[in-house]
Amino acid sequence: MKKILAGIGAGVLFFALSLPFFTIPHAMTIAIVALLVTLWTNEALPLGVVSLLPIILFPVFGILDTNAVAANYSKSIIFLFLGGFMLAIAIEKIELHKYFSAKLLSFFPKTARGIIYALAVTSALLSAILSNTTITLMLMPIALFLSENIRLKVRFLLATAYGASIGGILTPIGTAPNLILLGFLEEHRLPIMTFGGWMLLMLPIVGLMLLIMPYILSLGVSSECVEDVKHEAARLNSEQKRLYGIIGLLAFVLVANTFMKQITGVALNEKLVLLGFGLLMFVPKIGFLTWDDTRNLPYEIIFLFGAGFSIAAAFISTGLAEEIAQKLHAVSSLPLLGMFIVVALFVTFSTEITSNTALTSIAIPIFYEFSKYMPETQSAMILMVATVAASYAFMLPIATPPNAIVMSSRIISIKEMAMVGLKLNFIGVAVLSLVAYFIWRLML
């Protein structure tokens, strides 16, 4: 109960602090968001319960009517994610993810640096298509088993957690902020990237971060050998081979669709493609799931998307996003690279103390209002910088589930995570800003 009262207290405090600068409806919107963020952070109520509160709170306080809020929980972009989760559950059910992780681990040298790179790359690639929480839970026992040296254990665990956060940005379904951005673009009839187009833009960032982050973690321990690393991939059974083939076919369709859009301007609806392949998992003799398996679908995350879209809608409809954007007007006089750096720094360090989904839901409408009079490509890049920066939460355990999971091992201290994470935050901002300025401008 104390945690719920803390959430209410946070709402009242932010309402009082906002009144001198904003109208009452704006201050009330800020207060409700503060309440939601506090309840998400202190886990006073289950994630799904807190995520459904906007359906009650926004109408009660006159921010949005019930129909306007409820519509955010069934946006078509959510079904892209739903299809991806069905595939992910199938992969976990027949243990194909264990094959992938063992295969990837086997490619790297058995030195400390080699294992750090192996864990980071494995975690990143699997987190691009599976829940970063699931992947961190799956790889943490491996990271703990590989050495008795505490220093190495710390580096291995951090590589696993950070790799999961970095890899999540690689695909549209990799992490919640990506879906929030795509839903916002769709809502406002702005150009939406294909699955493959998104990956092409994110690949330089993920690639550079996966070169730099493990290198930093391996400083001082790079030459130490790691004994008894035995993670050879077993042979695929018939079910795993079938799913492997289906995933290969999906990858081909998505890549072909990207090229088709570039050449002809016409493409398949990828929400239907992902949902279609997800539903294929239930077809007898083709798929691997029964309806009982849907109990493992993370409905609370789907509700979280709805809450995120609702917050964004509230910021837009009340004019709060425009009001905040006007207060940030001075930033618009900066050169484009300077704007990227300021936006990335603001979001990166803000997301350390709050849910990256909630922060993205708040930041995207603000920066949309801030940038909507700029050329369309510049506006899109600012929104994407804000979205990617929300995944750069490396300093604190409360910032992201992978950080919290490896902290639960009781091997890592908050001081150690914060020291390494601070460096990676600044490196992440630099990499993101430079890639956006020098590469995205050529591709968008």
Side-chain angles (χ1 to χ4, degrees):
M1 194 63 189
K2 289 181 181 179
K3 292 181 177 180
I4 295 176
L5 292 175
I8 295 170
V12 171
L13 176 63
F14 272 83
F15 180 77
L17 292 174
S18 302
L19 272 180
F21 308 101
F22 297 99
T23 65
I24 290 178
H26 291 172
M28 187 58 68
T29 303
I30 291 170
I32 291 172
V33 171
L35 166 65
L36 294 173
V37 169
T38 304
L39 295 180
W40 273 321
T41 304
N42 68 13
E43 298 179 339
L45 294 169
L47 176 65
V49 172
V50 179
S51 300
L52 289 171
L53 288 179
I55 298 176
I56 297 172
L57 295 178
F58 284 149
V60 166
F61 289 96
I63 308 300
L64 292 171
D65 65 48
T66 306
N67 289 338
V69 181
N72 291 292
Y73 289 78
S74 59
K75 285 185 178 292
S76 60
I77 196 72
I78 289 175
F79 293 93
L80 177 99
F81 191 78
L82 191 61
F85 257 127
M86 290 173 181
L87 285 165
I89 291 171
I91 289 171
E92 291 179 47
K93 182 176 181 178
I94 67 169
E95 300 188 339
L96 186 58
H97 60 305
K98 292 184 178 180
Y99 172 83
F100 287 146
S101 61
K103 199 74 173 174
L104 287 165
L105 280 168
S106 69
F107 290 151
F108 292 84
K110 302 305 183 285
T111 62
R113 175 167 287 170
I115 296 300
I116 288 171
Y117 269 95
L119 288 168
V121 172
T122 301
S123 181
L125 293 181
L126 291 175
S127 292
I129 55 172
L130 297 170
S131 159
N132 57 15
T133 302
T134 298
I135 295 307
T136 308
L137 285 169
M138 181 191 81
L139 292 179
M140 187 169 75
I142 298 174
L144 289 169
F145 163 78
L146 290 171
S147 175
E148 294 302 318
N149 185 319
I150 296 297
R151 289 176 67 215
L152 291 183
K153 283 181 185 286
V154 169
R155 310 297 176 97
F156 293 166
L157 288 169
L158 289 176
T160 301
Y162 293 163
S165 295
I166 290 169
I169 72 167
L170 185 58
T171 65
I173 62 172
T175 188
N178 302 356
L179 268 292
I180 296 293
L181 173 63
L182 293 178
F184 186 88
L185 295 177
E186 184 178 56
E187 175 75 15
H188 292 272
R189 293 178 170 80
L190 297 171
I192 298 178
M193 286 152 286
T194 62
F195 201 100
W198 176 282
M199 291 185 67
L200 285 174
L201 291 173
M202 298 304 159
L203 196 56
I205 299 171
V206 173
L208 286 170
M209 290 300 291
L210 287 179
L211 284 174
I212 297 169
M213 179 270 287
Y215 178 80
I216 289 175
L217 287 177
S218 66
L219 292 175
V221 298
S222 59
S223 60
E224 295 188 33
C225 289
V226 182
E227 302 295 335
D228 300 324
V229 179
K230 298 174 182 176
H231 287 283
E232 297 182 7
R235 290 183 178 275
L236 293 173
N237 60 36
S238 59
E239 279 192 328
Q240 291 170 332
K241 287 179 181 177
R242 190 164 77 248
L243 183 52
Y244 202 130
I246 291 171
I247 293 171
L249 177 61
L250 173 60
F252 173 79
V253 170
L254 293 174
V255 170
N257 197 46
T258 301
F259 282 108
M260 190 165 66
K261 185 171 184 179
Q262 295 292 331
I263 296 169
T264 67
V266 179
L268 299 171
N269 185 322
E270 290 186 339
K271 295 185 282 293
L272 300 183
V273 172
L274 262 293
L275 182 60
F277 270 83
L279 295 177
L280 190 64
M281 295 298 98
F282 295 90
V283 177
K285 299 185 179 180
I286 296 177
F288 313 89
L289 302 180
T290 65
W291 188 247
D292 284 345
D293 293 313
T294 61
R295 293 174 182 174
N296 296 323
L297 281 171
Y299 294 106
E300 70 278 8
I301 301 298
I302 294 171
F303 294 153
L304 182 63
F305 287 145
F309 293 141
S310 298
I311 291 170
F315 268 63
I316 292 289
S317 66
T318 61
L320 178 58
E322 186 175 4
E323 182 71 19
I324 296 175
Q326 288 176 358
K327 295 182 188 302
L328 295 173
H329 183 69
V331 179
S332 64
S333 62
L334 293 173
L336 186 60
L337 179 59
M339 280 192 279
F340 289 160
I341 292 171
V342 169
V343 169
L345 281 171
F346 172 79
V347 175
T348 296
F349 285 94
S350 297
T351 197
E352 291 289 356
I353 56 172
T354 187
S355 154
N356 59 3
T357 303
L359 181 68
T360 307
S361 305
I362 297 166
I364 286 176
I366 291 172
F367 289 119
Y368 169 70
E369 293 293 335
F370 167 80
S371 64
K372 70 180 182 181
Y373 297 112
M374 298 178 183
E376 191 175 81
T377 54
Q378 289 187 15
S379 178
M381 286 192 291
I382 286 174
L383 295 181
M384 290 174 64
V385 166
T387 301
V388 173
S391 294
Y392 282 5
F394 301 119
M395 285 180 62
L396 299 175
I398 63 171
T400 183
N403 289 9
I405 289 167
V406 297
M407 184 64 69
S408 70
S409 68
R410 299 178 179 172
I411 299 291
I412 305 170
S413 69
I414 291 180
K415 182 180 178 181
E416 286 175 306
M417 181 177 281
M419 287 176 61
V420 178
L422 180 62
K423 296 176 188 175
L424 288 175
N425 277 5
F426 284 116
I427 290 169
V429 167
V431 168
L432 172 58
S433 302
L434 292 171
V435 168
Y437 187 76
F438 289 106
I439 299 178
W440 287 2
R441 289 199 302 169
L442 301 176
M443 299 175 71
L444 287 173

